[in-house]
Amino acid sequence: MNVKFFDRRLLKSFSAFVSGISVVLSLLLIFIDIPRTWKISVGIVFVIFLSIVYVGMLIRANLMSSVTLRFGNSEVRVFFGDLFDEDGLKAISFNEYFDEIVDDKVISRNSINGKYLDRLHGEELTEVQKRLSASENTRDIVEKDVARPEGKHIRYALGTVVELPNQYLATAGSKFSKDNKAGLTMSEYIAFLMHFWDEIDRVYNGRTVSIPVFGSGILRFRGGYDEVSDQELLQIILWTFKVSKIKFTYPAKLKIVVYRKKSVKYSLYKLKEIEKNGIS
């Protein structure tokens, strides 16, 4: 249960509900006189009613599978699903070299990146490899001729976006160590997201964009952030979108697709507060 019984957000919502009910009852009692012998019974019924309402709100909060947030004119929908099922642009996180080797060493077969590459065959695979090559993608190159035992040798800035066939986007979403371990510091993760939003603003052209929770379950955080949760990553993504310059105007929207098999790690109920107060 992600939303606990005494969750402060839930208590705040319940308090607002009780305040509204209290105002209505106060107005009614101006005109209705409850017999003294009934008052205790009515009070007990009222307490039971409020208890049922609170438990109902708690259950609803824990079963929430979709939430829509608004930041200015932009609409953001967060929900449990499968990124590959979505229409419009879909962003896939690669490493900073845009590697394509799916061997559970450079790229894990269980990652979204690995699953995407495993789907490619024939002309589509050739076109993806072409667009990810240095001859085609010259933007945001940070370093050339990097000595690596496996993979490509040109490193790109975090957040760089390359357009791929069938409305997919590749983004440089992680740094790679010498032993091919994906990792970032928290400041690098935030810098990646801010550059990513700038890149999306450049390419989306009025289309809806779907993204996963970048780094969930795979990325290693250095510098004392080794225990950052998937929920916190989702909240950071929303916060950076909120402070970025990009604006999705109707009918375009941003969709954050949370892998449904990992739903127990998330509480979508907690996200509403980011609309007003940022990360909490």
Side-chain angles (χ1 to χ4, degrees):
M1 188 167 66
N2 289 312
V3 181
K4 305 303 181 184
F5 192 83
F6 291 110
D7 182 90
R8 64 182 179 82
R9 301 169 186 82
L10 186 64
L11 289 170
K12 185 176 180 180
S13 297
F14 181 69
S15 177
F17 173 80
V18 173
S19 296
I21 288 291
S22 298
V23 170
V24 172
L25 288 178
S26 297
L27 292 173
L28 287 175
L29 291 175
I30 294 175
F31 306 100
I32 300 174
D33 186 22
I34 299 177
R36 184 173 300 178
T37 55
W38 289 15
K39 287 186 177 181
I40 294 177
S41 298
V42 170
I44 293 173
V45 170
F46 185 64
V47 170
I48 293 173
F49 167 73
L50 292 180
S51 299
I52 292 172
V53 169
Y54 188 80
V55 171
M57 291 174 68
L58 176 64
I59 293 172
R60 179 177 178 273
N62 278 290
L63 293 179
M64 185 177 290
S65 60
S66 175
V67 62
T68 298
L69 310 173
R70 293 192 178 277
F71 302 112
N73 293 326
S74 300
E75 180 178 309
V76 181
R77 183 173 175 240
V78 186
F79 60 98
F80 299 126
D82 188 328
L83 182 71
F84 296 110
D85 293 336
E86 298 306 310
D87 296 325
L89 294 171
K90 295 170 281 292
I92 306 290
S93 178
F94 283 65
N95 62 32
E96 60 186 332
Y97 298 96
F98 288 117
D99 282 326
E100 304 152 20
I101 305 172
V102 184
D103 60 356
D104 288 326
K105 294 179 181 179
V106 178
I107 299 174
S108 169
R109 286 186 170 83
N110 290 324
S111 66
I112 295 176
N113 184 193
K115 291 176 181 178
Y116 168 71
L117 291 170
D118 274 344
R119 289 168 174 241
L120 303 177
H121 302 283
E123 292 182 3
E124 186 179 11
L125 175 59
T126 301
E127 181 63 23
V128 167
Q129 291 172 332
K130 176 184 176 182
R131 295 194 191 186
L132 292 176
S133 69
S135 61
E136 290 290 320
N137 179 37
T138 58
R139 300 182 65 257
D140 291 328
I141 292 177
V142 174
E143 186 179 6
K144 295 183 178 181
D145 301 319
V146 180
R148 302 177 68 211
E150 296 179 273
K152 297 180 179 179
H153 302 280
I154 294 179
R155 185 163 64 88
Y156 295 86
L158 293 173
T160 300
V161 167
V162 178
E163 295 188 68
L164 301 177
N166 298 320
Q167 299 198 85
Y168 280 95
L169 303 172
T171 183
S174 64
K175 291 195 170 186
F176 251 33
S177 64
K178 292 181 179 179
D179 56 352
N180 288 329
K181 300 295 184 183
L184 290 175
T185 63
M186 183 53 67
S187 60
E188 287 170 337
Y189 184 71
I190 293 173
F192 148 65
L193 289 168
M194 295 306 294
H195 188 196
F196 172 76
W197 296 129
D198 286 342
E199 290 280 87
I200 291 298
D201 198 25
R202 176 179 64 85
V203 303
Y204 88 102
N205 195 27
R207 292 172 288 180
T208 289
V209 177
S210 298
I211 67 171
V213 180
F214 292 120
S216 171
I218 294 178
L219 203 58
R220 295 170 177 82
F221 284 91
R222 304 186 299 269
Y225 291 95
D226 54 326
E227 294 184 358
V228 63
S229 69
D230 291 350
Q231 175 76 22
E232 288 168 329
L233 292 181
L234 175 56
Q235 292 178 183
I236 291 168
I237 290 171
L238 286 167
W239 174 76
T240 57
F241 176 80
K242 181 179 180 179
V243 300
S244 71
K245 296 178 181 179
I246 186 171
K247 298 292 181 276
F248 285 88
T249 54
Y250 182 84
K253 67 180 72 171
L254 172 67
K255 295 193 287 188
I256 303 178
V257 187
V258 182
Y259 189 41
R260 60 170 61 92
K261 290 185 178 180
K262 299 183 68 175
S263 61
V264 294
K265 295 188 176 184
Y266 296 91
S267 172
L268 303 190
Y269 176 77
K270 297 179 181 180
L271 301 180
K272 270 291 186 180
E273 198 164 311
I274 296 177
E275 280 184 311
K276 297 180 180 179
N277 304 322
I279 298 176
S280 59

